[in-house]
Amino acid sequence: MQFLDDSLLPENQQPLVIQVAPYGPEFLPSDSGDIPVTMAEQVQKAVDCWNAGATVLHVHVREADGKGSKRLSMFNELLARLRVAVPDMILQVGGSISFAPENEGAAAKWLSDDTRHMLAELEPTPDQVTV
């Protein structure tokens, strides 16, 4: 196949969107040596993905033990760090998150419409939310 009209030049191609999800909580650090756990590692992974050409980052957060976090405050912290490290990256948060209580005696908020509305409390706000 020959392209004689310069159609393969980047400036003549349609924009490409690459979405990555390097923080998926279904895998634990023991499953792979490439799973970021600390906030610094998660931010560095986002920078690496951006530098590799990704434009959308699906965000999950991990606790110190490597398991997925359900704490709204940790999502807020990671989103704030990502806004600084990769300011042009589109940040996406999943709408199927169940948030755990952070205060003693608070009730857990499991998957429901009320829980999904808690995504509006994220600060800074994500660019996208999957539902």
Side-chain angles (χ1 to χ4, degrees), residues 54-76:
T55 53
V56 180
L57 179 73
H58 185 82
V59 179
H60 286 279
V61 182
R62 290 188 183 273
E63 294 287 345
D65 65 1
K67 294 181 182 174
S69 178
K70 298 182 181 304
R71 293 192 290 153
L72 200 60
S73 63
M74 289 194 69
F75 277 84
N76 288 338

Side-chain angles (χ1 to χ4, degrees), residues 57-59 75 79 91-95 97 119 122 126 128-130:
L57 179 73
H58 185 82
V59 179
F75 277 84
L79 287 169
L91 304 180
Q92 179 187 83
V93 175
I97 300 169
L119 292 169
L122 290 172
Q128 298 177 341
V129 175
T130 60

